[in-house]
């Protein structure tokens, strides 16, 4: 399982802001993370809309975190809709083996455990 780029990069964006002693601009974050400024702008817009970041324009502008309780799971849900190890995790998925599949129970259990782990990892951990 590989976390989507948007999740990984948004986490890196937040970590840089969290660990800075001053507000950081996207240009500064881009230099620190080697992520393009345009891509960071897209991520920051989503995070700001979700109430995680707050941007300030002007000479002393930049970004500040307004919700440091954000979890890795929150970012996964925002940028990819959640964890789904197998299609049959979704109740709407139609499979003729759904009632007899011996693997589905394991997929459900793993999916729950991984989701709980991701919920336990917050920005405070970085």
């Amino acid at each position: 399982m590989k976390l989507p780029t948007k999740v990984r990069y948004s986490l890196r964006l937040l970590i840089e802001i969290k660990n800075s002693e001053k507000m950081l601009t996207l240009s500064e974050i881009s230099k620190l993370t080697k992520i393009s400024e345009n891509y960071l702008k897209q991520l920051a817009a989503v995070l700001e809309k979700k109430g995680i970041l707050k941007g300030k324009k002007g000479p002393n502008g930049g970004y500040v975190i307004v919700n440091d309780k954000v979890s890795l799971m929150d970012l996964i849900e925002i940028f990819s809709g959640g964890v789904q190890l197998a299609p049959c995790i979704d109740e709407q998925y139609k499979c003729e083996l759904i009632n007899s599949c011996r693997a589905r129970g394991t997929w459900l259990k793993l999916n729950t455990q991984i989701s709980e782990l991701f919920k336990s990892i917050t920005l405070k951990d970085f």
Side-chain angles (χ1 to χ4, degrees), residues 45-96:
V46 173
L47 294 171
E48 196 166 5
K49 185 177 178 182
K50 294 292 184 179
I52 297 168
L53 281 184
K54 178 78 174 142
K56 179 184 173 194
K57 296 186 187 298
N60 294 319
Y63 284 88
V64 64
I65 294 170
V66 293
N67 178 5
D68 67 351
K69 293 183 177 117
V70 65
S71 71
L72 182 53
M73 189 65 191
D74 293 329
L75 297 177
I76 292 168
E77 288 173 346
I78 289 167
F79 290 106
S80 68
V83 174
Q84 187 173 349
L85 295 180
C88 61
I89 299 298
D90 184 350
E91 296 294 328
Q92 307 302 316
Y93 183 74
K94 304 293 183 213
C95 175
E96 62 187 58

